[in-house]
Amino acid sequence: LISNIENLNLPEGLESSMVSKLDNAIEAFEKDNDNAAINKLNAFINEVKAQRGTKITVEDEDDLIATAEWIIDSN
């Protein structure tokens, strides 16, 4: 998911914010804190939705959200 974000060529601040949320989710999963990780992934989803049709295409948004939701559902 992080590499997908990096491949979108987003403005640096937006990319950094999204990657940070994903990094924090990974750290929470590694510490067996699934609730915190899921909260971070939901924050990521909300940030992606906020950029719909502006900084992120609708197609890319759908892919990013589907992947994040798959991760949530897998835990």
Side-chain angles (χ1 to χ4, degrees):
L1 194 53
I2 290 173
S3 63
N4 292 353
I5 293 293
E6 293 171 342
N7 289 332
L8 293 178
N9 297 315
L10 297 171
E12 186 176 329
L14 178 58
E15 178 180 312
S16 176
S17 175
M18 291 181 165
V19 169
S20 176
K21 286 176 178 68
L22 296 175
D23 282 339
N24 289 334
I26 291 168
E27 287 178 26
F29 277 129
E30 289 174 347
K31 294 178 181 178
D32 292 324
N33 192 344
D34 291 353
N35 287 335
I38 289 169
N39 288 339
K40 295 294 182 183
L41 287 169
N42 282 321
F44 168 80
I45 289 170
N46 289 336
E47 187 168 10
V48 171
K49 286 180 179 179
Q51 300 301 322
R52 180 181 182 91
T54 56
K55 305 285 186 206
I56 301 174
T57 67
V58 172
E59 180 180 287
D60 288 333
E61 177 206 18
D62 290 344
D63 290 341
L64 293 170
I65 290 172
T67 303
E69 288 175 342
W70 177 83
I71 294 167
I72 291 169
D73 292 343
S74 296
N75 288 291

